Amino acid sequence: MYLIFRCDCGRAMYAKEGVATRKCVCGKTIKVKTRRIFKKAEDAEAASEMVRELQEEKYGGSFFTTADNIKKKR
Ligand SMILES: [Zn+2]
């Protein structure tokens, strides 16, 4: 099972269940247990798809750019 959550910077990300921490592209290390879990996914593919949808909600575009590009724009 994969857990989908957001960093404080707003970026959606996922981690495999049982993983303690996950590093965001903004540089912050997220303790997975302390985050509010938005969704769960059966596998990494489904998890990345959910993250993509959450990113689109946040940034309002219909296309998905890479995390690096989002970071550069901000
Ligand atoms: Zn972040």
Side-chain angles (χ1 to χ4, degrees):
M1 195 69 85
Y2 288 78
L3 308 174
I4 289 92
F5 51 92
R6 278 196 203 279
C7 176
D8 294 336
C9 71
R11 181 173 165 74
M13 52 208 272
Y14 68 89
K16 198 173 195 312
E17 199 168 32
V19 170
T21 60
R22 186 87 156 75
K23 194 161 191 202
C24 179
V25 291
C26 73
K28 194 173 169 66
T29 300
I30 303 300
K31 285 182 184 140
V32 176
K33 278 183 183 170
T34 69
R35 306 310 297 186
R36 182 168 155 248
I37 303 304
F38 281 88
K39 289 176 180 175
K40 290 184 178 182
E42 291 293 333
D43 54 38
E45 197 179 325
S48 68
E49 175 68 15
M50 287 176 190
V51 164
R52 194 178 62 82
E53 283 169 13
L54 282 166
Q55 286 299 102
E56 285 173 2
E57 272 173 36
K58 166 88 179 171
Y59 295 104
S62 58
F63 82 102
F64 180 68
T65 185
T66 65
D68 281 340
N69 285 337
I70 289 169
K71 206 175 172 188
K72 278 175 205 154
K73 276 182 203 161
R74 294 171 99 203

